[in-house]
Amino acid sequence: MPLGGFTHRELVVDLTAGRVDVRPLDEDLARTYIGGRGLGVKYVFDNGPQVEPFSPDNLLCIMTGPVTGSLHPMSGRLAVVTKSPLTGTVTDSHMGGWTAARLKWAGFDNILIKGQSPHPVYLYIEAGRAELRDASDLWGLGVRETIRRLKDRHGADDLSVMAIGPAGENLVRYAGWINEHDRAAGRGGTGAVAGYKRLKAIVIKASEKGNLPRPADPEASRRTAQRAMKAIVQSPVTAPRKGGLSVYGTNVLTNIINEVGALPTMNSRYTHFDGAEGHSGERVNATILVADNTCHACPVACKKEVEVKSGKYRTRTESFEFESGWALGANCGLSDAEAIAYMIDRCNDYGIDTIEVGHALSTAMEAYERGLIDEEVRWGDADKMIALIDDIAFRRGLGDRLAEGPARFAREIGAPEISMSVKGQSIPAYDPRGIQGIGLGYATSNRGACHLRGYSVAAEIMGIPEPVDRLAVEGKGALLKMFQDLHAFSDSMDICKFSAFAESAEHYAEQYSAMTGIPMTVDELLKAGERIYNLERYYNNLAGFNRREDDLLPERFLKEPGTGHSSGAVSHLNEMLDEYYRVRGWKDGVVPEEKLRELGIIA
């Protein structure tokens, strides 16, 4: 019996030849690696870990999961998987909105892209067909103008566009994809890979009418979706118009994380920012919020559209996220929400990862303060920050050097210690000194520093699924492994990670079973996630990340004490790392052959 939830068709795009083919989904691989992130990583792994990120041979995968585009709640995400030009690791970055659902409704599960076009192109998909079209007139445009022209060309109804901006075209190593609702697949430089390939956009024309994925067991699918929705509606975090995530968006975390002393401030020299209230969710909602937007099949509506109606920072953009606000705010010593909103909008139009660009700016600020660069870049100087974002996108002057990524820039100026990065990717908005488990998560993330690989903050700060002491060290290895394996599975479903604030592994297992027709227990779910996480690690081992030193944090977190309510705290990474390797069955960060065989990764 065919797997439910899938269209069983994949697009294979050869940009060099200008050719688009359709192939059947490999059901055996889909059963083993679920879909989304997991199946995408398998495709990228099989393409070869030694491939150069900026080469025609690098594979760029646009992936959906078995529940994508269905009536299951929060099922509107896709994964972009490739080898990262920022880190040299395998990477996946996820996007919300309606792009993923429309790809499934148009009749395709995934898009696999290789080669390099001789001229700019975009991929047009509609009603089970796809073709490459000339994008020469779009090259050089920002994301918003690109989308406007494509909507004029193809009609705005039932249309989704994901595009790159000038940053991707100019191979900024942390360029991403942005869609028509400002949803971003931002991290890891997936947009730069598209820019190298001269792929400007993917346009999908499709509606859900008559195109919803077919579950293997329709009644069980309806029942499990309703049960998941009930959990979301009843959660104090996700309840529509009541829960903190719904009312304030992700930016609800700014004051919470700052209060406990875990908000990295001024390039992580401090863990508390006196000006954090200025760009908090509460302040944004009271001053510049204009709309609560959402994604396909999501009742939470965590996306907060903001508008600055006058002054030099006049703008309207979606959405003012916690990570973006922090990266351009506390991380750079800036508290002005209006200036931050303007910069977020600019980054979205250029197609730049706001987390990484915030670190590029804060690294330059510390470099200037130390006398390592001549160009004046002062803490909290919003106008200089805006000018540098422009220069990064177009690779001008200092911006050209920062476009290589903060880690490369810091090494270039002889001060690698001022880049707050792991494997070349900069940390998100949680300080490892104030939340011990997240530091271990940054160190062991397979895509470079990342909170989304294993969101231990849920337990350490929010008490989900149960409270855990944020400053405790013992047990964090096992806790993180559980979160990493769970999220590897949910990213492969592909279901929004915020669902985990309300849903349990049991919810995920029963939804997967009802949709695909494959019975799955929680233990089997976690084993599937473990397989995916180990495949990623095996890829990285083969790509050259095969030492314990590759899983270390910047020394600042290990030696310079925190401030605020984490005063005196440092990260106890090495103790946690020993436990983590033990529970993973790894040897100093390397997956041994017996573990690969146990998980069925090798025969």
Side-chain angles (χ1 to χ4, degrees), residues 311-537:
K312 62 181 177 180
Y313 302 131
R314 183 176 178 178
T315 191
R316 182 164 180 152
T317 192
E318 182 190 345
S319 111
F320 199 118
E321 301 282 359
F322 168 53
E323 298 289 342
S324 302
W326 159 79
L328 298 163
N331 179 54
C332 292
L334 178 67
S335 61
D336 185 342
E338 293 190 354
I340 293 168
Y342 184 86
M343 283 186 267
I344 291 171
D345 183 53
R346 217 166 183 83
C347 287
N348 286 347
D349 198 41
Y350 289 148
I352 306 178
D353 174 18
T354 52
I355 297 177
E356 206 67 44
V357 82
H359 274 282
L361 299 175
S362 66
T363 303
M365 289 168 179
E366 183 163 350
Y368 173 72
E369 188 176 64
R370 290 188 176 198
L372 299 173
I373 60 174
D374 295 329
E375 187 164 339
E376 185 175 338
V377 192
R378 294 191 179 275
W379 298 107
D381 184 344
D383 293 337
K384 180 61 176 180
M385 292 168 68
I386 292 165
L388 268 179
I389 290 171
D390 295 344
D391 289 343
I392 289 169
F394 292 99
R395 282 188 170 270
R396 299 185 299 234
L398 177 60
D400 182 39
R401 299 157 70 190
L402 295 174
E404 288 294 292
R408 284 180 173 82
F409 171 72
R411 287 197 301 270
E412 177 212 326
I413 62 174
E417 72 280 0
I418 69 171
S419 170
M420 299 301 108
S421 57
V422 177
K423 301 179 182 70
Q425 181 162 281
S426 301
I427 70 160
Y430 308 89
D431 197 286
R433 291 163 289 192
I435 306 173
Q436 291 290 321
I438 202 66
L440 179 64
Y442 294 164
T444 60
S445 164
N446 290 326
R447 69 169 188 170
C450 175
H451 60 302
L452 295 173
R453 302 296 85 177
Y455 194 63
S456 65
V457 173
E460 293 175 290
I461 298 296
M462 304 167 72
I464 299 172
E466 59 186 33
V468 173
D469 184 349
R470 66 184 175 89
L471 296 177
V473 174
E474 187 176 355
K476 293 297 171 71
L479 177 73
L480 181 67
K481 176 185 181 296
M482 182 275 292
F483 274 115
Q484 287 175 338
D485 293 347
L486 178 66
H487 293 328
F489 182 87
S490 66
D491 281 346
S492 302
M493 282 266 279
D494 185 338
I495 197 166
C496 179
K497 199 159 267 111
F498 295 156
S499 65
F501 292 136
E503 297 182 56
S504 65
E506 288 84 356
H507 287 100
Y508 292 157
E510 66 183 19
Q511 289 178 83
Y512 176 81
S513 300
M515 180 60 75
T516 64
I518 303 174
M520 177 168 283
T521 66
V522 169
D523 286 344
E524 289 167 338
L525 179 155
L526 291 173
K527 182 63 72 174
E530 183 181 14
R531 180 180 301 113
I532 292 162
Y533 210 84
N534 277 264
L535 179 65
E536 292 171 343
R537 176 58 60 136

Side-chain angles (χ1 to χ4, degrees), residues 254-263 272 470 564-566:
T254 296
N255 283 333
I256 295 171
I257 300 302
N258 192 48
E259 178 60 26
V260 301
L263 193 70
H272 176 87
R470 66 184 175 89
H565 286 153
S566 294

Side-chain angles (χ1 to χ4, degrees), residues 163-225:
I164 64 168
E169 297 173 6
N170 293 319
L171 308 190
V172 175
R173 288 183 183 268
Y174 41 94
W177 289 85
I178 310 291
N179 71 11
E180 74 276 11
H181 296 292
D182 280 351
R183 308 295 194 268
R187 305 228 74 189
T190 61
V193 173
Y196 174 85
K197 293 179 177 298
R198 300 193 183 97
L199 178 64
K200 179 64 175 180
I202 298 172
V203 182
I204 308 166
K205 187 87 166 175
S207 72
E208 68 179 80
K209 187 176 181 181
N211 294 316
L212 288 172
R214 297 180 180 179
D217 187 334
E219 176 54 30
S221 181
R222 183 190 63 80
R223 186 174 63 252
T224 59

Side-chain angles (χ1 to χ4, degrees), residues 139-160:
W139 203 253
L141 298 179
V143 168
R144 287 195 175 76
E145 180 62 15
T146 297
I147 291 171
R148 188 191 68 77
R149 292 194 188 189
L150 288 168
K151 284 184 174 182
D152 287 347
R153 190 174 302 173
H154 299 292
D157 292 342
D158 300 324
L159 192 80
S160 283

Side-chain angles (χ1 to χ4, degrees), residues 67-135:
V67 300
T68 303
S70 72
L71 297 181
H72 286 251
M74 306 178 84
S75 60
R77 296 186 72 77
L78 62 76
V80 185
V81 191
T82 191
K83 187 173 188 179
S84 168
L86 181 68
T87 64
T89 67
V90 65
T91 195
D92 62 287
S93 191
H94 296 247
M95 171 185 287
W98 277 263
T99 312
R102 286 209 168 91
L103 178 58
K104 187 74 75 76
W105 300 340
F108 300 102
D109 293 312
N110 311 307
I111 309 170
L112 282 62
I113 305 162
K114 287 191 73 173
Q116 183 187 43
S117 175
H119 57 84
V121 293
Y122 70 95
L123 180 65
Y124 182 77
I125 303 170
E126 183 179 9
R129 299 185 301 276
E131 63 181 9
L132 292 168
R133 299 187 178 183
D134 184 70

